Structure formats: C-alpha cells, structure tokens
Amino acid sequence: MIAIFAGTGDYPKEIIYSLKKNNKKFIILNITEKKIKDSFKINLGQFGKILKLLKDYEIREVIFAGYVKRPNLRNMKFDMKAISYMPHLIKAFKSGDGNILNLAKKILNQNKIKVVESHKYSKNLLLKKTVTQKKPNKIDLQDAKKGKKILDNLSKFDNAQGVVIDEGYIVAIEAAEGTDSMLKRVINLNKNKKKKSGVLIKFPKKNQNLKYDLPTIGSKTVKLCIQSKLNGIFLKKNQNIFLNQKKSIILSNKNNFFISTM
C-alpha cells in the first residue's frame, strides 16, 4: 500500500491517475488547506496520528507530491510524538526545505516506511529532449549555461530553482515566491520589450534530493513564459517534472516557443 502526501497543484492528480492506471492501492494524506476528494486531512504537527494512520493501512511506500507552503513553527499544533523531535525540527526549519524533507524521510524510515521517488509510477512526466517544433538557438544555449552556473552557486543557500537570463543579462532569480510569481515580475519588466528573447532555466538545486523533491513546471508556467516574451524553457534532463504536457506543447508550438533539456 502507498501513501501520497498531497500538496497543491496538478502533480498529485497525475500521480493518482498513474497509480490507478497501474492498479496500485493507495491512500491520500491531504496536507493543504483545500479539500481533496477521498483523502485524510492531516496536520503536519500530528506525528503520532500520521504514523498510526500509516500503520493502520499497512503503508510501505510514501510519495511526496505538490507544493506545500512552509508552515510557521509558532502556529503549528504538535502532539507528543512531534515534541520528541522538536530539536531536530527547529534545526531542519532553519536549514531549508530540503532538510525538512530529509527529517521526514528519517522519521518514516525509522518506522519501516520507505520514501520513494515521486515519479516512480509516472516516468512519463520526465523530459528527455526538446519536445517542441522550435529548437533553442546558440544565444539560448549560452544563456542556459550561464543560468546553470548561477543556480549551482545559489544551491548552497537551499533556495533558487529558477532563473531568467536574456542575452547574457540576469532578469530575475526565483526566491521564496516560486517560479510562477517570479515570471509575473518578468512580465512587468518586459512589458515594453519589442522582440522575444531570453530563457527560463528551471533546474534542481545542486544537492537536492531527487527522490522526492523534483522541480515542476506545467502549462501555467509555459503560458507565463510566453507572456514574458521569452524564447523558451530549459529543464534538466530526466530531473524535472513536466505536467500538462500535451496542452503545454500545443501552446508552445502556436507561439513559436521551445521546451528543451540540458
């Protein structure tokens, strides 16, 4: 039996669809403020309740999927099990999202529950090559290399996964707001721009755990890039989740936009 810790966005839906298609039994743990059909609503501070639920359903594998806003420790309600981990929790929250997930994995492993790759049952969501009619040009590739260097250097701060480079110039770097919010800033910056140029580079952080924390894009990201008057998107080969693929590719081809890998 598999448990999905479901955040917001389309990614949990894609995983649910794949599990059903492969006749896999699963439960959904809703860690958002929104309603998710046939799910268990859980509070992340209720470690004891979560572990009991996983035990009752004989869960052997766990998948983390979707966006989850980092909770405020001061506002969380903790049970006794969570309180026993409090020093580790405080340290993880200070160190970044990656370390919070690592702590969750450690706790689950101690209870003989394995955290598996979020895409284990949905390999079709990974990208291997350019999937659009338009291909990146020489300047696009140079921008991508520069963007990769920037993201690699920022990885030690456990922050950015995305950057926009336009003919060698840094236009925007993703901060805590996420890629789509960053692109809305780029739309405003480029509102008087006459021609299309520049690229979004969306890569995993250098030391990111690729088992359960792959960066994700979908049709909304593609649409925002087009509105930003960019030429295309570069993803890391086999290391980015690409949702709404059919819709995104059709939209890209209509707007002379590329989606490629490095």
Side-chain angles (χ1 to χ4, degrees):
M1 182 77 88
I2 303 162
I4 305 167
F5 280 78
T8 58
D10 291 331
Y11 193 20
K13 298 175 188 176
E14 295 269 12
I15 290 175
I16 290 166
Y17 173 78
S18 295
L19 291 175
K20 287 180 177 178
K21 191 176 179 181
N22 288 289
N23 297 314
K24 298 291 184 181
K25 292 182 179 180
F26 62 92
I27 63 170
I28 306 166
L29 305 184
N30 179 7
I31 52 179
T32 75
E33 297 301 319
K34 298 181 179 180
K35 290 183 179 179
I36 299 178
K37 186 180 178 182
D38 300 324
S39 68
F40 294 95
K41 181 73 179 75
I42 60 168
N43 181 325
L44 287 174
Q46 307 299 304
F47 285 18
K49 180 181 176 181
I50 293 169
L51 291 172
K52 184 180 184 303
L53 186 60
L54 297 178
K55 184 179 179 181
D56 288 347
Y57 279 87
E58 298 181 349
I59 300 298
R60 294 290 174 264
E61 292 184 337
V62 159
I63 294 172
F64 291 101
Y67 173 75
V68 180
K69 184 178 180 181
R70 188 192 295 195
N72 188 324
L73 272 178
R74 293 179 181 178
N75 298 331
M76 289 180 71
K77 296 179 181 179
F78 298 101
D79 60 16
M80 293 306 296
K81 186 71 173 177
I83 290 172
S84 69
Y85 282 97
M86 191 56 69
H88 303 285
L89 268 171
I90 293 171
K91 184 178 179 181
F93 267 73
K94 287 181 178 178
S95 302
D97 294 343
N99 285 296
I100 295 171
L101 287 168
N102 286 335
L103 177 60
K105 180 185 176 184
K106 181 180 178 181
I107 294 169
L108 291 168
N109 284 347
Q110 288 172 352
N111 288 271
K112 299 180 180 179
I113 300 169
K114 185 180 181 182
V115 178
V116 300
E117 295 172 337
S118 58
H119 55 282
K120 179 177 179 179
Y121 300 101
S122 51
K123 300 286 188 184
N124 58 301
L125 298 178
L126 302 178
L127 207 63
K128 299 178 180 178
K129 59 182 181 180
T130 303
V131 291
T132 49
Q133 293 170 357
K134 182 175 181 176
K135 312 298 179 188
N137 59 36
K138 186 177 178 180
I139 295 174
D140 296 328
L141 291 167
Q142 289 173 349
D143 282 346
K145 288 177 181 176
K146 181 170 184 174
K148 181 181 182 302
K149 287 181 181 178
I150 292 168
L151 292 177
D152 284 348
N153 286 328
L154 290 172
S155 286
K156 60 186 176 183
F157 301 110
D158 192 32
N159 193 354
Q161 291 183 324
V163 60
V164 174
I165 307 291
D166 191 344
E167 297 183 348
Y169 292 95
I170 302 168
V171 179
I173 298 173
E174 177 187 339
E177 85 271 40
T179 305
D180 289 350
S181 293
M182 174 192 70
L183 288 169
K184 289 175 183 177
R185 287 194 280 121
V186 178
I187 290 171
N188 186 54
L189 287 167
N190 286 347
K191 60 185 177 183
N192 297 319
K193 190 175 172 183
K194 301 297 182 184
K195 64 167 188 171
K196 286 174 58 178
S197 61
V199 296
L200 165 67
I201 302 95
K202 176 81 173 178
F203 277 15
K205 288 169 274 191
K206 202 169 184 180
N207 299 315
Q208 190 164 334
N209 191 318
L210 302 180
K211 275 198 169 185
Y212 48 76
D213 191 22
L214 291 182
T216 303
I217 72 156
S219 56
K220 183 181 178 182
T221 306
V222 173
K223 185 178 180 180
L224 289 170
C225 282
I226 291 168
Q227 291 175 349
S228 299
K229 301 177 185 176
L230 300 179
N231 265 341
I233 297 173
F234 282 101
L235 305 176
K236 186 74 171 177
K237 184 178 180 181
N238 288 326
Q239 291 184 12
N240 282 69
I241 299 298
F242 179 24
L243 305 172
N244 324 121
Q245 292 188 16
K246 185 176 180 181
K247 182 179 178 180
S248 297
I249 292 168
I250 290 171
L251 181 64
S252 297
N253 288 337
K254 281 184 178 179
N255 289 276
N256 194 31
F257 184 86
F258 72 80
I259 303 171
S260 189
T261 62
M262 283 185 69

